[in-house]
Amino acid sequence: MTVTIYDVAREANVSMATVSRVVNNNPNVKPQTRKRVYEAIEKLGYRPNAVARGLASKKTTTVGVVIPDISNAIFAEVARGIEDIANMYHYNIILCNADKRKEKEIRVINTLLEKQVDGLLFMGGAVSEDHIRAFKTATVPIVLCATTDEREMYPSVDIDHKAAARDAVRELLKQGHRRIAMISGPLEDPTVGYARFQGYKTALEEAGLKVEEELVRIGNYRYESGQETARYFLELDRRPTAIFAANDEMAIGAIHAIQDAGLRVPEDISVIGLDNTRMASMVRPQLTTVAQPMYDIGAVAMRLLTKLMNKETVQNERVILQHELITRQSVAHLA
């Protein structure tokens, strides 16, 4: 039989209202009474009905989080930041993996809203019209995390991806490289993929160089696409002296493809990445990369959402956090 609040009240010899106050941490309960209620709860194995409490308070103290790829280390670190702040403010998390598929993202958004979450954090790629239609059905706050909306309709926390990519390429230029290839992410994504390509293009143009079509290839942010694309660059009549990969996983794939071809990094070809995942310091040579403050992006996004859910004053709904160049051993200086 399911233990009810009535059973606890009878066991503790108090009213159901008193049990409710204890369960909801109401301070207006005498210490000895609170102790008696807790003892009854423990003895009977009572668990408060979260659904019923949510119906009564119109709050579930639950936040939905849409994550594009749970196997990607960068999103795992963002999720850690979200969860730590959620715990601090006594919110529970429902984490849903969308496999980087728009149709699944839309389905997951609708499912979370149907579950009456108090707020929604969306981590994904481009925010399309389909996403916006789903968001518009929400009666709760929505914050974009590690992505932005070009229309600036929703609060967001992210980095400046174009500036981060520009700084990566500037580092290669500073070290004397002029024939610089890029392994890009999908360009259909304006907030990350295309923005990082624009950063590459801008840095070259600032140095008086043109983007050469044969030196740009599109990857999918996976290790294997980094390997495959690096092998293509190695077969060019004039191979590049350096490769900029739009994320660390593709950069590491490129390093291994270069090494598999009997060449050395950075002596024969330099490689630089973007994100600063844990793998960047585990590969040999260690990867020079541009760091995103991944944990901070998640933490700041969750704190922004708590303010919106609690109707607190928010001065800036679009937060851009700083990136940082991390110099390691995968980039050589050309004499």
PDB file of all heavy atoms in Angstrom, residues 296-312:
ATOM      1  N   ASP A 296      31.394  27.373 -16.743  1.00  0.00           N
ATOM      2  CA  ASP A 296      30.814  28.685 -16.447  1.00  0.00           C
ATOM      3  C   ASP A 296      29.607  28.988 -17.330  1.00  0.00           C
ATOM      4  O   ASP A 296      28.641  29.620 -16.889  1.00  0.00           O
ATOM      5  CB  ASP A 296      31.862  29.785 -16.626  1.00  0.00           C
ATOM      6  CG  ASP A 296      32.951  29.723 -15.569  1.00  0.00           C
ATOM      7  OD1 ASP A 296      32.761  29.013 -14.572  1.00  0.00           O
ATOM      8  OD2 ASP A 296      33.986  30.388 -15.746  1.00  0.00           O
ATOM      9  N   ILE A 297      29.653  28.555 -18.592  1.00  0.00           N
ATOM     10  CA  ILE A 297      28.507  28.771 -19.483  1.00  0.00           C
ATOM     11  C   ILE A 297      27.265  28.098 -18.896  1.00  0.00           C
ATOM     12  O   ILE A 297      26.183  28.690 -18.839  1.00  0.00           O
ATOM     13  CB  ILE A 297      28.810  28.238 -20.899  1.00  0.00           C
ATOM     14  CG1 ILE A 297      29.826  29.147 -21.605  1.00  0.00           C
ATOM     15  CG2 ILE A 297      27.528  28.138 -21.726  1.00  0.00           C
ATOM     16  CD1 ILE A 297      30.312  28.621 -22.939  1.00  0.00           C
ATOM     17  N   GLY A 298      27.424  26.844 -18.450  1.00  0.00           N
ATOM     18  CA  GLY A 298      26.298  26.139 -17.846  1.00  0.00           C
ATOM     19  C   GLY A 298      25.837  26.787 -16.558  1.00  0.00           C
ATOM     20  O   GLY A 298      24.634  26.960 -16.321  1.00  0.00           O
ATOM     21  N   ALA A 299      26.797  27.159 -15.708  1.00  0.00           N
ATOM     22  CA  ALA A 299      26.456  27.742 -14.402  1.00  0.00           C
ATOM     23  C   ALA A 299      25.756  29.093 -14.566  1.00  0.00           C
ATOM     24  O   ALA A 299      24.747  29.362 -13.903  1.00  0.00           O
ATOM     25  CB  ALA A 299      27.723  27.893 -13.556  1.00  0.00           C
ATOM     26  N   VAL A 300      26.280  29.941 -15.443  1.00  0.00           N
ATOM     27  CA  VAL A 300      25.692  31.271 -15.636  1.00  0.00           C
ATOM     28  C   VAL A 300      24.303  31.140 -16.270  1.00  0.00           C
ATOM     29  O   VAL A 300      23.370  31.871 -15.908  1.00  0.00           O
ATOM     30  CB  VAL A 300      26.616  32.160 -16.501  1.00  0.00           C
ATOM     31  CG1 VAL A 300      25.921  33.464 -16.879  1.00  0.00           C
ATOM     32  CG2 VAL A 300      27.909  32.454 -15.745  1.00  0.00           C
ATOM     33  N   ALA A 301      24.155  30.216 -17.212  1.00  0.00           N
ATOM     34  CA  ALA A 301      22.850  30.016 -17.847  1.00  0.00           C
ATOM     35  C   ALA A 301      21.807  29.555 -16.833  1.00  0.00           C
ATOM     36  O   ALA A 301      20.668  30.039 -16.834  1.00  0.00           O
ATOM     37  CB  ALA A 301      22.966  29.003 -18.989  1.00  0.00           C
ATOM     38  N   MET A 302      22.201  28.650 -15.954  1.00  0.00           N
ATOM     39  CA  MET A 302      21.254  28.156 -14.947  1.00  0.00           C
ATOM     40  C   MET A 302      20.907  29.262 -13.959  1.00  0.00           C
ATOM     41  O   MET A 302      19.745  29.408 -13.545  1.00  0.00           O
ATOM     42  CB  MET A 302      21.846  26.949 -14.215  1.00  0.00           C
ATOM     43  CG  MET A 302      20.895  26.310 -13.204  1.00  0.00           C
ATOM     44  SD  MET A 302      19.405  25.633 -13.958  1.00  0.00           S
ATOM     45  CE  MET A 302      18.213  25.916 -12.643  1.00  0.00           C
ATOM     46  N   ARG A 303      21.888  30.070 -13.568  1.00  0.00           N
ATOM     47  CA  ARG A 303      21.601  31.180 -12.644  1.00  0.00           C
ATOM     48  C   ARG A 303      20.677  32.201 -13.301  1.00  0.00           C
ATOM     49  O   ARG A 303      19.762  32.727 -12.657  1.00  0.00           O
ATOM     50  CB  ARG A 303      22.909  31.859 -12.215  1.00  0.00           C
ATOM     51  CG  ARG A 303      22.693  33.013 -11.242  1.00  0.00           C
ATOM     52  CD  ARG A 303      22.097  32.549  -9.926  1.00  0.00           C
ATOM     53  NE  ARG A 303      21.770  33.668  -9.042  1.00  0.00           N
ATOM     54  CZ  ARG A 303      20.537  34.040  -8.706  1.00  0.00           C
ATOM     55  NH1 ARG A 303      19.492  33.371  -9.180  1.00  0.00           N
ATOM     56  NH2 ARG A 303      20.334  35.043  -7.883  1.00  0.00           N
ATOM     57  N   LEU A 304      20.894  32.475 -14.585  1.00  0.00           N
ATOM     58  CA  LEU A 304      20.010  33.392 -15.306  1.00  0.00           C
ATOM     59  C   LEU A 304      18.591  32.835 -15.330  1.00  0.00           C
ATOM     60  O   LEU A 304      17.614  33.570 -15.116  1.00  0.00           O
ATOM     61  CB  LEU A 304      20.531  33.597 -16.729  1.00  0.00           C
ATOM     62  CG  LEU A 304      19.685  34.451 -17.684  1.00  0.00           C
ATOM     63  CD1 LEU A 304      19.429  35.836 -17.104  1.00  0.00           C
ATOM     64  CD2 LEU A 304      20.368  34.554 -19.049  1.00  0.00           C
ATOM     65  N   LEU A 305      18.470  31.526 -15.551  1.00  0.00           N
ATOM     66  CA  LEU A 305      17.143  30.914 -15.579  1.00  0.00           C
ATOM     67  C   LEU A 305      16.462  30.992 -14.217  1.00  0.00           C
ATOM     68  O   LEU A 305      15.254  31.266 -14.143  1.00  0.00           O
ATOM     69  CB  LEU A 305      17.249  29.455 -16.040  1.00  0.00           C
ATOM     70  CG  LEU A 305      15.915  28.722 -16.229  1.00  0.00           C
ATOM     71  CD1 LEU A 305      15.056  29.413 -17.295  1.00  0.00           C
ATOM     72  CD2 LEU A 305      16.152  27.261 -16.608  1.00  0.00           C
ATOM     73  N   THR A 306      17.205  30.778 -13.134  1.00  0.00           N
ATOM     74  CA  THR A 306      16.592  30.870 -11.800  1.00  0.00           C
ATOM     75  C   THR A 306      16.052  32.280 -11.554  1.00  0.00           C
ATOM     76  O   THR A 306      14.988  32.445 -10.959  1.00  0.00           O
ATOM     77  CB  THR A 306      17.580  30.496 -10.675  1.00  0.00           C
ATOM     78  OG1 THR A 306      18.667  31.423 -10.650  1.00  0.00           O
ATOM     79  CG2 THR A 306      18.101  29.076 -10.833  1.00  0.00           C
ATOM     80  N   LYS A 307      16.794  33.294 -12.011  1.00  0.00           N
ATOM     81  CA  LYS A 307      16.315  34.674 -11.842  1.00  0.00           C
ATOM     82  C   LYS A 307      15.010  34.900 -12.599  1.00  0.00           C
ATOM     83  O   LYS A 307      14.071  35.518 -12.096  1.00  0.00           O
ATOM     84  CB  LYS A 307      17.378  35.662 -12.328  1.00  0.00           C
ATOM     85  CG  LYS A 307      18.589  35.779 -11.420  1.00  0.00           C
ATOM     86  CD  LYS A 307      19.557  36.826 -11.951  1.00  0.00           C
ATOM     87  CE  LYS A 307      20.736  37.007 -10.998  1.00  0.00           C
ATOM     88  NZ  LYS A 307      21.674  38.042 -11.485  1.00  0.00           N
ATOM     89  N   LEU A 308      14.948  34.386 -13.835  1.00  0.00           N
ATOM     90  CA  LEU A 308      13.747  34.558 -14.638  1.00  0.00           C
ATOM     91  C   LEU A 308      12.571  33.787 -14.044  1.00  0.00           C
ATOM     92  O   LEU A 308      11.440  34.281 -14.032  1.00  0.00           O
ATOM     93  CB  LEU A 308      14.015  34.107 -16.078  1.00  0.00           C
ATOM     94  CG  LEU A 308      15.039  34.945 -16.859  1.00  0.00           C
ATOM     95  CD1 LEU A 308      15.394  34.269 -18.176  1.00  0.00           C
ATOM     96  CD2 LEU A 308      14.507  36.347 -17.110  1.00  0.00           C
ATOM     97  N   MET A 309      12.835  32.570 -13.549  1.00  0.00           N
ATOM     98  CA  MET A 309      11.758  31.772 -12.958  1.00  0.00           C
ATOM     99  C   MET A 309      11.199  32.423 -11.705  1.00  0.00           C
ATOM    100  O   MET A 309      10.010  32.312 -11.408  1.00  0.00           O
ATOM    101  CB  MET A 309      12.264  30.351 -12.647  1.00  0.00           C
ATOM    102  CG  MET A 309      12.523  29.508 -13.875  1.00  0.00           C
ATOM    103  SD  MET A 309      12.912  27.772 -13.509  1.00  0.00           S
ATOM    104  CE  MET A 309      14.469  27.922 -12.630  1.00  0.00           C
ATOM    105  N   ASN A 310      12.083  33.113 -10.965  1.00  0.00           N
ATOM    106  CA  ASN A 310      11.660  33.750  -9.717  1.00  0.00           C
ATOM    107  C   ASN A 310      11.325  35.229  -9.892  1.00  0.00           C
ATOM    108  O   ASN A 310      11.144  35.949  -8.912  1.00  0.00           O
ATOM    109  CB  ASN A 310      12.754  33.583  -8.656  1.00  0.00           C
ATOM    110  CG  ASN A 310      12.916  32.124  -8.252  1.00  0.00           C
ATOM    111  OD1 ASN A 310      11.941  31.449  -7.930  1.00  0.00           O
ATOM    112  ND2 ASN A 310      14.145  31.640  -8.274  1.00  0.00           N
ATOM    113  N   LYS A 311      11.269  35.637 -11.179  1.00  0.00           N
ATOM    114  CA  LYS A 311      10.891  37.018 -11.525  1.00  0.00           C
ATOM    115  C   LYS A 311      11.794  38.061 -10.846  1.00  0.00           C
ATOM    116  O   LYS A 311      11.337  39.116 -10.407  1.00  0.00           O
ATOM    117  CB  LYS A 311       9.421  37.274 -11.196  1.00  0.00           C
ATOM    118  CG  LYS A 311       8.471  36.422 -12.043  1.00  0.00           C
ATOM    119  CD  LYS A 311       7.025  36.693 -11.710  1.00  0.00           C
ATOM    120  CE  LYS A 311       6.092  36.007 -12.702  1.00  0.00           C
ATOM    121  NZ  LYS A 311       6.332  34.573 -12.873  1.00  0.00           N
ATOM    122  N   GLU A 312      13.106  37.731 -10.763  1.00  0.00           N
ATOM    123  CA  GLU A 312      14.080  38.683 -10.254  1.00  0.00           C
ATOM    124  C   GLU A 312      14.501  39.622 -11.386  1.00  0.00           C
ATOM    125  O   GLU A 312      14.327  39.328 -12.569  1.00  0.00           O
ATOM    126  CB  GLU A 312      15.313  37.949  -9.720  1.00  0.00           C
ATOM    127  CG  GLU A 312      15.034  37.016  -8.558  1.00  0.00           C
ATOM    128  CD  GLU A 312      16.277  36.246  -8.142  1.00  0.00           C
ATOM    129  OE1 GLU A 312      17.379  36.806  -8.227  1.00  0.00           O
ATOM    130  OE2 GLU A 312      16.136  35.068  -7.759  1.00  0.00           O
TER     131      GLU A 312
END
